[in-house]
Amino acid sequence: PTPSSRRQLLMTPLFVAPLLPLSSSKIPTRHAALTRRSPFPTTRRPSRPAPAPSPSMQVEGEGEACALDEIPEYPKLGDGSLMTRKAHGTAPRPAQSPLRFADLDPALADEMCCFNRHFYEPENLFQTSAEFMNCPPTLKDGKTRVFFDSVMGKPVFRAPVDRTWESFLKESEHYWWPSFRDREVVWDNVRCLEDGECVTVDGVHLGHNLQDSSGNKYCVNVVAIAGEKAEDLGYDLEDIMADLDRIYGELGIEKLIAPSEEELVRGGYQPQRRDCVEVESTREVPAGVIDPAERKPHAMYSIFTERARNSESTPFSMMVLTVIGKLSEQAKREYPLWESPVGIPKLLHWEECAHKAAQATTGNAAFLFRTLEKWYVALRILVQSWEEEELLILQWFKMTSAFDIPALASLPALNALSSFAHDPARRFRLDRLRFHLAQKREQKGQSFRCIVFVQQRITAAVVAHIINSDPGLASLGLKAGFVASRDSKITPSITVSKSAVAETIRAFRDSKLNVLVATSVIEEGFDVPEANMVIGYDHLKDSVELCQRFGRARQQDSAIVLLDERDDRPLGLLESVRQIQDDMAQDYVPSRSNLARNTGGTSATVPAYSAPMPSNLAGDRTMQRAREHIVYSTVLKDAEMSTTPLRVLNIYVQKMKATLTEEFLLTGSALLFSCVLRYRCGDRLIEAEGSGRSKKDAKNACTLIVLADLVKQTRP
């Protein structure tokens, strides 16, 4: 279709089919008015015309437009990952109780906001709230009323804007729910998903975008916007201790026992010496990047595009955008169906589109799309790093030969970036990395083993390539490999298979490699040999990384080098936080009453599970319980189809990877068969005994007993 016809198609309201709720949704019978039918249309693009584009972004001396000339303004689209499962449904915590509008039900707010994607509250519920309906006196002076989400207390809407409070209520009554327009949305905290769902950046469900002839209209649940302002919530140390009390109680833990450092030393432990840690500041922040205090991670795309439209981006970013714009124009000439994906706020989608286009074409067109994929990767890094990672991008370009574009050989922006890549003044951090590797290799000799920790998978690939391609390091016998998540993609063209990860670690263990460049993936769950040097190429994020990464340098006389640290999280602060955490965990004793409440009425160490729980399984209980709840919903569906009890039990066994054993005995003069059935999964053991005139009858009797116990313990 032509661009105009595509736009017309996307503007047409499309109604979604009825959708099932999340498996963990808990809609009580007292809210019988709730329904699964969704009246909201899919919204993939705004219905109102996109705003007139700002003057094209240019690099000095050039008059050509770059990659971000025209991007739709509203609604602000979000990624589906916003609604992944968190600590409380899709949200970090339960809804506030009581709510700002005290005549609304906090339980309903919790259900609608945290365990719901497609349900909506009863029609015109907002009219039953006098506190919502009453017009504050300030609104008569032309001011607006701010609404905060009912979970996190962040501002999400403000009304009325460009209308009166009465007209806002009238439109809301017409559509049954509070209805807001584009300019009444606080877009810093709100996003729309591609199916029209309106959510917060924290994963709180608000409602849906329902378009009409006037444009976008966001119909939301009143219980979702009835929260108190965040700073008025007053969370303090008592709340933190209460959360700890709840967690300890759920896991059945009375005391966390940990050996002292003296006991560890007597057992052969080598304590980490503080004087072996070197900290350097090798980070070079480009001029013109956005101030860290103004950075909002959930809005990085919109902030980047706005800066680009206003020509406020760094010169480096403007050059990258110019090259991408030119490349996209060349690709369009070779393949007329090509449309730039940069206007879509899905960063990984850009390089995926170019990769698929390269596979679908041949010759010069395929070459242009392969090159465009490399530049889209660079653009993604720019957005994610707030335009700071110039060094990584330049080395990525060198590694992938992204500067070799004959059609753009005379482009000033391309030539300038190419010269930057070969400028020694721009490689300070890499030079320090080379220095420490060479120095410690000469000191340690053949026993040298080093792990270089980085934050991103692409950084791991680039740094390993730099080490292996450096003649000076090669002459010292240094060979590097990199490790990232198993079966993950670095880019659409570069993947990391499970076998490749295993082979790299095996080579490091066998001394075929002496440098391992890795992300946080090897902090836990990988059997990586001890190293005598650890280098932190990127800054430490928290005290967990501090503990895990320093713990990899377990050999005596090991060396640790940090090439970067955050200004707000220096090494000394992270060490003090780790010490505080250790002290709190060791000294904290949970409330015995809360422990008894969570363990079936007693304060015993063993909770309400049949088998004793080893300490190394304690942390798995919550995950096991969550899986059992999901299996329970599957069992309900099968039960509706009159499935046999044994079939239902087999669902539990298969889904939970449990073991089921049986024993039969023939007893008594009546020739009755006796059966003993044992179900074991993790720390849960259920044993049942039944009898019947046949083995089948006896087993069915046992099955019913086991199922009754399972359903009782796993029902949400």
Side-chain angles (χ1 to χ4, degrees):
T2 63
S4 59
S5 63
R6 286 176 57 212
R7 189 177 300 111
Q8 183 178 1
L9 176 63
L10 291 171
M11 288 165 53
T12 305
L14 304 174
F15 284 81
V16 296
L19 299 172
L20 291 175
L22 291 173
S23 59
S24 60
S25 294
K26 301 174 288 184
I27 307 300
T29 55
R30 68 176 183 274
H31 298 309
L34 303 181
T35 173
R36 278 182 299 181
R37 179 179 59 83
S38 174
F40 303 115
T42 299
T43 304
R44 300 183 66 89
R45 288 292 184 272
S47 61
R48 81 176 197 181
S54 302
S56 300
M57 295 174 295
Q58 300 175 1
V59 174
E60 184 176 355
E62 301 177 25
E64 296 293 336
C66 63
L68 296 172
D69 277 332
E70 184 174 341
I71 296 175
E73 185 177 1
Y74 299 122
K76 300 290 186 183
L77 297 182
D79 192 88
S81 61
L82 291 174
M83 301 300 286
T84 55
R85 198 165 299 278
K86 303 179 183 69
H88 190 74
T90 61
R93 59 177 181 240
Q96 300 173 20
S97 180
L99 296 171
R100 174 188 180 188
F101 306 139
D103 45 7
L104 294 176
D105 184 3
L108 178 60
D110 192 60
E111 293 156 6
M112 292 291 97
C113 296
C114 308
F115 297 94
N116 169 52
R117 301 290 300 278
H118 312 293
F119 290 99
Y120 52 97
E121 67 193 10
E123 300 170 3
N124 291 321
L125 178 65
F126 70 94
Q127 291 182 304
T128 67
S129 172
E131 295 187 43
F132 177 89
M133 295 293 291
N134 289 340
C135 177
T138 55
L139 297 185
K140 298 178 181 178
D141 299 328
K143 296 183 179 180
T144 61
R145 188 179 193 180
V146 180
F147 298 89
F148 305 90
D149 79 83
S150 298
V151 176
M152 306 303 294
K154 293 183 179 180
V156 287
F157 298 100
R158 58 188 181 92
V161 175
D162 296 333
R163 54 177 169 172
T164 64
W165 177 254
E166 289 72 22
S167 63
F168 164 75
L169 288 180
K170 183 177 180 180
E171 182 176 59
S172 299
E173 292 168 5
H174 179 73
Y175 290 101
W176 307 338
W177 294 278
S179 302
F180 300 91
R181 296 293 177 173
D182 287 329
R183 295 192 59 201
E184 294 173 325
V185 184
V186 181
W187 289 110
D188 285 346
N189 302 318
V190 178
R191 291 291 182 271
C192 271
L193 307 188
E194 288 202 349
D195 64 352
E197 184 181 8
C198 187
V199 302
T200 73
V201 295
D202 300 298
V204 177
H205 174 84
L206 300 174
H208 288 77
N209 179 11
L210 175 62
Q211 297 174 339
D212 62 10
S213 58
S214 299
N216 297 313
K217 182 173 71 277
Y218 307 94
C219 296
V220 301
N221 296 312
V222 67
V223 294
I225 57 172
E228 292 283 1
K229 192 176 181 181
E231 50 261 40
D232 297 335
L233 297 179
Y235 291 106
D236 55 20
L237 184 59
E238 292 185 3
D239 296 310
I240 298 174
M241 302 305 285
D243 284 339
L244 279 174
D245 198 54
R246 175 182 55 80
I247 294 170
Y248 273 57
E250 288 179 353
L251 297 178
I253 300 173
E254 285 190 333
K255 177 71 175 176
L256 181 64
I257 301 175
S260 64
E261 185 169 299
E262 291 75 14
E263 293 175 297
L264 291 173
V265 170
R266 287 197 298 269
Y269 167 72
Q270 294 289 338
Q272 184 67 57
R273 294 185 7 253
R274 180 67 179 85
D275 57 2
C276 74
V277 181
E278 300 179 46
V279 181
E280 298 184 3
S281 180
T282 61
R283 182 171 39 140
E284 297 174 301
V285 179
V289 300
I290 189 170
D291 188 274
E294 299 176 7
R295 297 177 183 180
K296 301 173 182 177
H298 62 274
M300 60 173 59
Y301 171 81
S302 58
I303 292 175
F304 179 85
T305 55
E306 183 179 358
R307 282 168 52 84
R309 284 196 196 97
N310 299 331
S311 299
E312 296 173 352
S313 299
T314 63
F316 185 93
S317 298
M318 300 301 291
M319 293 179 190
V320 171
L321 288 168
T322 299
V323 175
I324 290 176
K326 286 289 189 177
L327 266 174
S328 190
E329 290 176 6
Q330 292 286 333
K332 180 77 172 177
R333 294 192 189 101
E334 295 285 342
Y335 188 64
L337 296 178
W338 170 252
E339 294 289 344
S340 173
V342 177
I344 300 175
K346 290 185 175 182
L347 308 189
L348 293 173
H349 179 68
W350 306 341
E351 55 212 67
E352 288 281 0
C353 285
H355 181 72
K356 291 177 180 178
Q359 293 178 322
T361 54
T362 58
N364 189 48
F367 167 77
L368 288 172
F369 285 123
R370 284 194 298 270
T371 306
L372 195 55
E373 177 190 340
K374 302 169 187 175
W375 285 80
Y376 279 151
V377 171
L379 183 59
R380 167 170 59 87
I381 297 172
L382 270 179
V383 177
Q384 293 174 333
S385 68
W386 301 98
E387 303 179 63
E388 287 191 5
E389 286 287 3
E390 294 183 1
L391 174 61
L392 173 61
I393 291 171
L394 291 173
Q395 297 305 314
W396 162 253
F397 285 154
K398 286 181 64 178
M399 184 181 91
T400 58
S401 302
F403 293 125
D404 299 337
I405 313 174
L408 304 182
S410 60
L411 186 66
L414 180 65
N415 294 329
L417 290 171
S418 180
S419 65
F420 291 163
H422 297 86
D423 183 1
R426 290 178 173 265
R427 299 200 300 265
F428 180 60
R429 188 186 297 189
L430 290 176
D431 289 341
R432 295 304 298 168
L433 174 65
R434 293 188 184 97
F435 169 78
H436 287 292
L437 288 173
Q439 182 189 60
K440 295 302 187 291
R441 169 64 173 180
E442 292 175 349
Q443 292 177 0
K444 304 290 184 181
Q446 294 299 317
S447 66
F448 176 77
R449 285 171 181 261
C450 176
I451 301 178
V452 180
F453 280 105
V454 298
Q455 294 288 0
Q456 301 184 64
R457 288 170 290 182
I458 192 169
T459 309
V462 170
V463 170
H465 172 80
I466 291 171
I467 294 173
N468 290 329
S469 59
D470 186 273
L473 297 180
S475 65
L476 295 173
L478 291 179
K479 295 181 181 179
F482 74 91
V483 173
S485 303
R486 299 180 176 104
D487 294 326
S488 63
K489 286 185 177 181
I490 295 178
T491 72
S493 299
I494 305 177
T495 59
V496 181
S497 66
K498 186 183 298 185
S499 60
V501 171
E503 179 59 33
T504 300
I505 293 179
R506 189 181 305 112
F508 186 68
R509 184 180 296 114
D510 297 340
S511 298
K512 296 178 182 178
L513 299 174
N514 44 29
V515 179
L516 187 66
V517 186
T519 61
S520 59
V521 69
I522 68 165
E523 290 178 357
E524 296 179 351
F526 277 84
D527 181 19
V528 178
E530 295 180 357
N532 49 29
M533 183 176 191
V534 167
I535 296 179
Y537 185 80
D538 295 314
H539 62 256
L540 294 168
K541 292 189 298 184
D542 49 43
S543 59
V544 176
E545 283 193 351
L546 169 75
C547 182
Q548 295 290 346
R549 296 184 179 185
F550 281 23
R552 288 298 180 182
R554 294 189 291 266
Q555 294 186 18
Q556 196 169 7
D557 299 326
S558 295
I560 298 175
V561 176
L562 301 181
L563 296 179
D564 187 21
E565 63 177 357
R566 284 178 52 163
D567 295 335
D568 59 338
R569 299 182 187 181
L571 178 61
L573 177 60
L574 293 179
E575 288 181 327
S576 64
V577 169
R578 181 180 65 174
Q579 187 60 52
I580 292 172
Q581 291 171 337
D582 291 344
D583 294 342
M584 286 183 65
Q586 292 182 19
D587 298 338
Y588 178 70
V589 178
S591 164
R592 297 186 67 84
S593 61
N594 190 38
L595 180 65
R597 183 167 58 254
N598 285 283
T599 56
T602 68
S603 60
T605 305
V606 180
Y609 275 62
S610 300
M613 184 173 62
S615 60
N616 63 327
L617 294 178
D620 295 337
R621 165 176 291 183
T622 302
M623 292 300 297
Q624 177 177 334
R625 186 175 297 172
R627 291 196 302 270
E628 288 173 338
H629 289 173
I630 296 173
V631 176
Y632 175 78
S633 64
T634 305
V635 167
L636 286 182
K637 295 177 184 177
D638 275 28
E640 293 172 359
M641 298 184 294
S642 301
T643 307
T644 64
L646 188 57
R647 166 61 182 158
V648 175
L649 181 58
N650 283 335
I651 293 176
Y652 270 100
V653 173
Q654 293 169 7
K655 299 291 186 181
M656 295 300 301
K657 294 181 171 55
T659 59
L660 189 67
T661 59
E662 58 187 38
E663 293 181 12
F664 291 99
L665 295 173
L666 182 61
T667 61
S669 57
L671 298 179
L672 289 176
F673 285 90
S674 176
C675 176
V676 177
L677 205 60
R678 296 182 182 88
Y679 172 95
R680 184 184 293 276
C681 179
D683 58 317
R684 189 190 294 284
L685 172 64
I686 300 176
E687 186 173 304
E689 184 175 352
S691 59
R693 294 191 175 276
S694 66
K695 289 184 177 181
K696 182 177 180 180
D697 291 342
K699 187 173 182 178
N700 280 337
C702 291
T703 300
L704 290 173
I705 297 173
V706 173
L707 277 177
D709 200 347
L710 267 177
V711 170
K712 178 182 178 181
Q713 297 190 48
T714 64
R715 181 170 49 208

